[in-house]
Amino acid sequence: MSMQCPSDALVRRNGGQILVDQLRRHGARRVFLVPGESYLPCIDALNEHRGAIEPIVCRQESGAAYMAEAFGKLTGDPGICFVTRGPGATNASIGVHTAFQDSTPMILFIGQVGNDFVEREAFQEIDYRRMFGPMAKWVAQIDATDRIPEYVARAWRVATNGRPGPVVLALPEDTLWGEAEVADAEPMARLHGYPGQSQLDELKARLAEAERPFLLLGGSGWTEEAQQQMTAFARRFNLPVGVAWRRLECFDQRDAQFVGHVGMGMHDQLRQRLADTDLLIAVGTRIGEATSEGYSWITSPTPKQTLVHVYPDPEELGRVYRASLAIDADVVGFAQSLDRLQPDAQTSWQDATQQARQQYLATLEPQPAPGALNLDRVGLCVDKLLDGKGCVTVGAGNYALYPHRFVRFSGLGSSLAPTVGSMGYGLPAAISSKLEFPERPAVCFAGDGCFQMNLQELGVALQYRLGIVVLVFNNGMWGTIRAHQERDFPGREIALTFTNPAFTTLVEAYGGQGRVVERDEDVEPALRWALEFAERERLPVLIELRYESDYIAPGQSLNDIRDAALARISAQAASE
């Protein structure tokens, strides 16, 4: 029960009680934590909110931070994470960095030494303002118990408004153990930025002048209504639509307007289409390094394309690209305003949009692959069995190209992928998805190296009875780095292989079940079994995929990469 009191009858509470009361008042429903003595009053205060705030006890702070970040992606509300000072904070920093580059609302609370010990390098003491300053929207330390409501309310507002992102608050022990009679701060409604009418008029005029327009969607903060409004706009103007790197949930890819995933690994025809477009409408995306493929198909600072850039942070607009029309608006406000835009005449690029769609559909065909197991077919099978339902998660690695290419994502909540490219993300993200949407399937794609960075979080799936499905791509190496090594130092492979455990035995130790798949014909039966087992038993399932290690990406092999690199080096030597 929350401790709500009229202002003339304030109850004296300790800092932990005040903080958790404030979180509940702002709508927190779940917190992810690794317990620590440095914030015991907060842990104790959760007793007063049983049934309202669910504590998820994680096994390591990076897993907790990833789960909180995934919660922020799924809901639009800040993911709440508690960790202890020092090592707990450093472990959690990877989740904060992910939230920063992915523009995800998140609040990390860190226990801190008391103010009577500060600046003595006390046990596990770190200056969190200096540590987290470059990778958070706001970092602060609450040094007075009666100011906790003020700080929490501001943290919630900063994390969710403008360009969303992480906030870090340090909690000195004397602040949490201290007591105060203070009123809770009331939550504020989320703010949305809208384009001006003159900007909408200019957008419409540029569309009327265009011959090869392209709509690129990305970023965070989307709602179902905003996606519906954006889809209606794309249909009215018959625009080809792409999603930015790892923003696969921003548009329903089964829709006829969708033409591809823009960024690393996209197909050549889409890359050329982006380079040739005469009007690029980029909404919610920074068009960062991964999306722009190293700032190649779009150049900085002045793109050759006419660029309409819509983004909720005026400091980002013009930072990398000089837009012809810059609009300071968030995706919700911009999408809502698009209802006013109607084409005055039939657009001239219908055939181009249809062609782009057909080129995208052609990429869903599996490519030849060495060995008995074709990973393209694994991605296609997941797409078939999920049929637009559930969530697919990944971490980082070439294996992620298979779901990115072959799964048709269906909108909000269908994908959780770190744009920052951090490993170990997929399993915690799948857990967070299953906690939030227990009726939906959650399928994690994980490389054998990526999976082992946070496999201990299977304990969370066991403890909370979460039926997640994990596909482990076992090639016994750091595959992405191996591909880079063959490009730059062909034939000189070293220090990139490892010996794996028995993954199926490992998942059994966590109460689940596992199978090994080595042939195409076994993929669908194994996936059907895994989804059914996970749903029925509410326990984790793992499918270990064993395949030819030379097979590194869709339609690509290490041998091909090595041969191309050797030919390039030979040609360079001959020309010198």
Side-chain angles (χ1 to χ4, degrees):
M1 175 177 178
S2 181
M3 304 173 70
Q4 309 295 336
C5 309
S7 59
D8 58 349
L10 297 177
V11 172
R12 192 166 186 81
R13 298 170 285 172
N14 69 35
Q17 293 170 321
I18 296 170
L19 191 150
V20 178
D21 284 348
Q22 190 65 38
L23 287 178
R24 182 172 177 182
R25 183 175 285 268
H26 274 71
R29 297 179 287 105
R30 184 173 297 121
V31 297
F32 302 91
L33 70 152
V34 174
E37 76 280 4
S38 62
Y39 66 95
L40 274 176
C42 297
I43 299 173
D44 177 74
L46 290 168
N47 280 295
E48 308 303 319
H49 302 273
R50 291 177 181 267
I53 298 178
E54 181 184 22
I56 303 299
V57 181
C58 303
R59 303 309 187 257
Q60 208 256 18
E61 290 86 359
S62 66
Y66 276 148
M67 290 181 206
E69 194 277 346
F71 177 93
K73 275 193 174 86
L74 290 166
T75 67
D77 290 327
I80 306 299
C81 184
F82 281 87
V83 299
T84 198
R85 62 190 182 227
T90 53
N91 283 340
S93 64
I94 191 170
V96 176
H97 188 211
T98 300
F100 185 74
Q101 286 218 338
D102 285 41
S103 303
T104 304
M106 175 181 174
I107 304 175
L108 176 68
F109 293 99
I110 306 172
Q112 175 63 301
V113 301
N115 281 294
D116 51 343
F117 288 172
V118 73
E119 294 291 350
R120 293 177 176 175
E121 196 183 342
F123 181 61
Q124 298 180 334
E125 179 185 357
I126 295 177
D127 182 341
Y128 298 111
R129 294 184 182 91
R130 294 170 62 192
M131 175 180 169
F132 286 100
M135 56 175 158
K137 288 188 70 176
W138 179 45
V139 185
Q141 180 166 300
I142 311 177
D143 289 326
T145 304
D146 59 0
R147 293 189 66 184
I148 291 175
E150 170 196 342
Y151 274 80
V152 174
R154 179 178 170 185
W156 199 282
R157 190 166 63 253
V158 170
T160 54
N161 284 287
R163 175 187 174 182
V167 170
V168 177
L169 291 181
L171 309 171
E173 288 188 357
D174 51 319
T175 299
L176 294 181
W177 286 95
E179 296 182 346
E181 296 178 10
V182 60
D184 291 322
E186 295 297 328
M188 290 180 59
R190 191 166 304 175
L191 301 176
H192 295 293
Y194 298 84
Q197 186 58 51
S198 63
Q199 292 173 316
L200 291 172
D201 292 342
E202 184 175 347
L203 173 58
K204 182 176 178 179
R206 291 188 179 277
L207 276 165
E209 297 169 356
E211 296 180 358
R212 300 177 302 280
F214 194 97
L215 177 59
L216 177 61
L217 306 179
S220 59
W222 291 91
T223 63
E224 288 188 7
E225 183 180 14
Q227 290 197 340
Q228 291 167 359
Q229 291 164 336
M230 189 62 67
T231 300
F233 166 69
R235 290 174 178 171
R236 286 197 304 274
F237 286 87
N238 202 11
L239 293 168
V241 180
V243 291
W245 168 249
R246 293 195 161 188
R247 295 299 192 179
L248 298 139
E249 72 283 0
C250 288
F251 197 81
D252 190 337
Q253 297 175 16
R254 300 165 298 175
D255 191 276
Q257 305 304 130
F258 182 76
V259 301
H261 179 204
V262 175
M264 293 188 293
M266 64 178 162
H267 63 91
D268 292 341
Q269 293 162 314
L270 179 55
R271 184 180 298 107
Q272 191 61 50
R273 189 174 298 277
L274 288 161
D276 292 342
T277 185
D278 60 353
L279 178 62
L280 177 64
I281 305 170
V283 181
T285 173
R286 295 186 298 116
I287 327 177
E289 179 187 354
T291 299
S292 66
E293 290 191 323
Y295 311 100
S296 59
W297 60 262
I298 181 170
T299 57
S300 171
T302 306
K304 69 175 184 179
Q305 303 94 335
T306 296
L307 173 62
V308 175
H309 199 178
V310 183
Y311 202 76
D313 182 355
E315 293 186 4
E316 188 65 38
L317 293 168
R319 178 186 177 195
V320 179
Y321 306 103
R322 186 183 184 279
S324 302
L325 173 60
I327 300 176
D328 179 14
D330 70 333
V331 294
V332 170
F334 182 72
Q336 189 179 101
S337 301
L338 290 175
D339 285 344
R340 305 179 223 167
L341 290 187
Q342 301 287 337
D344 293 329
Q346 186 176 10
T347 56
S348 61
W349 49 79
Q350 295 93 327
D351 291 345
T353 299
Q354 187 176 16
Q355 181 189 48
R357 175 66 177 175
Q358 293 305 312
Q359 290 168 345
Y360 160 69
L361 293 176
T363 68
L364 301 181
E365 294 295 322
Q367 302 297 304
L373 180 60
N374 186 331
L375 299 180
D376 297 11
R377 298 187 184 279
V378 174
L380 287 167
C381 188
V382 170
D383 179 66
K384 172 186 174 181
L385 297 185
L386 291 185
D387 191 26
K389 304 176 183 66
C391 180
V392 171
T393 72
V394 302
N398 274 10
Y399 71 87
L401 294 173
Y402 297 100
H404 288 356
R405 179 162 178 171
F406 295 107
V407 175
R408 293 169 297 168
F409 295 90
S410 57
L412 284 181
S414 62
S415 170
L416 288 171
T419 69
V420 71
S422 54
M423 300 184 74
Y425 179 88
L427 177 60
I431 289 170
S432 197
S433 176
K434 198 64 175 176
L435 283 165
E436 187 64 19
F437 301 110
E439 75 287 355
R440 300 182 189 176
V443 179
C444 166
F445 282 67
D448 45 1
C450 189
F451 174 65
Q452 292 182 81
M453 288 195 174
N454 265 319
L455 66 83
Q456 74 282 344
E457 302 307 329
L458 285 172
V460 178
L462 168 63
Q463 180 174 346
Y464 296 91
R465 299 299 296 258
L466 303 174
I468 60 172
V469 176
V470 183
L471 307 181
V472 175
F473 289 66
N474 184 358
N475 63 0
M477 69 171 116
W478 299 106
T480 301
I481 311 308
R482 174 70 183 277
H484 286 295
Q485 191 176 58
E486 293 291 3
R487 288 190 186 97
D488 296 325
F489 301 99
R492 292 175 58 80
E493 183 275 325
I494 191 172
L496 294 182
T497 60
F498 44 77
T499 301
N500 281 319
F503 289 113
T504 54
T505 303
L506 188 64
V507 74
E508 290 172 3
Y510 284 97
Q513 291 289 314
R515 284 188 184 178
V516 173
V517 170
E518 299 179 278
R519 302 181 303 169
D520 286 348
E521 55 265 35
D522 296 331
V523 171
E524 185 167 338
L527 281 171
R528 287 189 182 277
W529 163 80
L531 290 166
E532 291 168 1
F533 178 92
E535 179 68 21
R536 182 180 67 252
E537 302 296 332
R538 294 187 299 156
L539 287 167
V541 187
L542 185 149
I543 296 177
E544 178 185 340
L545 301 167
R546 295 179 182 172
Y547 57 99
E548 172 57 54
S549 61
D550 185 53
Y551 185 25
I552 200 64
Q556 198 172 40
S557 72
L558 290 172
N559 282 331
D560 292 339
I561 295 171
R562 184 187 310 113
D563 290 346
L566 289 171
R568 184 189 70 246
I569 293 171
S570 178
Q572 290 173 346
S575 65
E576 292 176 354

